[in-house]
Amino acid sequence: MAETGSSVPRRQLGRLLRQAREEAGINLEAAAKTLEWSRAKMYRLEAGHTSLRTHDVNLMCQLYGTSTDLTEVLVSLARESKSRGWWHSYGDVIPAWFELYVGLEAAARHIRHYEPNLIPGLLQTPEYMSAVFETKPGRTSQEVAQKVALRMERQKLLARRSPAAPLFEAIIDEAVLRRPINDIEAWRAQLAHLVNGAQAGNIKVRVLPASVGPHRASFAGAFMILDFPAKGTRPAEPSTVYSESLTGSLYLDRPGEVETYASAWQTLWNLALEERASEDLVGALIKETYDD
């Protein structure tokens, strides 16, 4: 039977189940034998090619000895994998503490990030992160510190060696670079970090100048496009578009949806300043902070 639901929760479920099995020290054949499934079925489930019943997920979790918290996430993902479209609303179906996007990001070979409002998360300094996270009312200093620690951990993927770090391309609206945080020294450090980060061979940053008028993505807001690698004979996972709002996160992976965003991205990439000119602009903005 054809799968009608979004493949995003299904793929993440497969990744987490494979990780849980490996951490338990159980090979694929042994797990399949214990569960009385074929090796091919285990392969399809871990590759995210087919949905799982919540009952089956519970059986696998018992076999692998997963924690109660992780079991909750896996069962929730199995339930959500049957939805036709998928909107991850924080604290609703998937537990709020579970960062679903992080798994997709870590598995990607190419990440494209358009950002009209903030410095992209993978290029933020800890001080800038804190300023962003502190904007949520009621968030404690401990919660801010935890958020910062998670984001800094995420940033390590841009420098990892195995598997190879993904290609990361960012388009940042010039208005973002003219919207400083209160600590001017920390703001200078953030701008410098942006330039320094762009020196890595797998990172490309372009600035969309203020002179550009309305464009195709004017109403889109920030979005990311993630492309995934093929693994052996296993085909690559479908490219996925990710975007956030105040109440949740949208994941799109149907070909027509991805193509729409990819086309908008290419338009923005062509409108933006090339990498060297973008660096020069950031450098000029750093100088302006000293002249003020």
Side-chain angles (χ1 to χ4, degrees), residues 6-58:
S6 167
S7 73
V8 175
R10 192 170 70 240
R11 284 149 47 196
Q12 185 71 327
L13 175 61
R15 280 195 203 96
L16 291 171
L17 285 171
R18 182 173 67 250
Q19 180 180 319
R21 174 179 59 75
E22 291 172 346
E23 290 179 353
I26 303 174
N27 65 34
L28 192 75
E29 289 77 8
K33 183 177 180 180
T34 301
L35 294 164
E36 298 183 344
W37 295 342
S38 68
R39 187 180 187 281
K41 178 177 178 177
M42 286 290 297
Y43 177 90
R44 290 195 303 273
L45 294 175
E46 291 189 356
H49 292 163
T50 187
S51 294
L52 267 169
R53 296 179 303 169
T54 56
H55 172 72
D56 291 335
V57 172
N58 275 311

Side-chain angles (χ1 to χ4, degrees), residues 77-155:
L77 285 169
R79 194 173 292 122
E80 281 302 289
S81 68
K82 295 177 173 60
S83 301
R84 284 189 172 274
W86 200 51
W87 176 268
H88 170 201
S89 181
Y90 298 116
D92 186 7
V93 182
I94 305 298
W97 57 265
F98 180 66
E99 296 281 354
L100 177 81
Y101 173 76
V102 174
L104 291 175
E105 185 180 67
R109 66 169 178 81
H110 184 191
I111 303 169
R112 287 169 281 179
H113 186 163
Y114 167 57
E115 185 51 76
N117 300 309
L118 297 167
I119 301 293
L122 292 180
L123 299 177
Q124 292 176 1
T125 61
E127 294 77 13
Y128 186 89
M129 295 177 203
S130 294
V132 172
F133 292 136
E134 287 168 357
T135 60
K136 182 175 180 178
R139 184 171 275 162
T140 67
S141 58
Q142 182 180 7
E143 289 171 334
V144 169
Q146 290 172 340
K147 289 281 189 182
V148 169
L150 173 62
R151 184 157 291 180
M152 290 181 69
E153 189 65 28
R154 282 175 51 203
Q155 290 183 346

Side-chain angles (χ1 to χ4, degrees), residues 7 225 238-241 252-263:
S7 73
I225 307 174
S239 295
T240 300
V241 175
L252 304 170
D253 56 8
R254 294 191 178 103
E257 296 169 333
V258 174
E259 177 54 37
T260 296
Y261 276 87
S263 177

Side-chain angles (χ1 to χ4, degrees), residues 190-245:
Q190 173 62 80
L191 292 178
H193 181 70
L194 197 60
V195 173
N196 293 336
Q199 305 311 306
N202 62 316
I203 300 175
K204 297 183 179 180
V205 176
R206 291 191 174 188
V207 176
L208 187 68
S211 58
V212 172
H215 50 76
R216 190 171 181 187
S218 292
F219 301 102
F223 65 85
M224 281 153 270
I225 307 174
L226 301 100
D227 301 309
F228 302 92
K231 295 183 178 179
T233 58
R234 187 182 299 176
E237 294 181 27
S239 295
T240 300
V241 175
Y242 171 82
S243 63
E244 291 183 358
S245 80

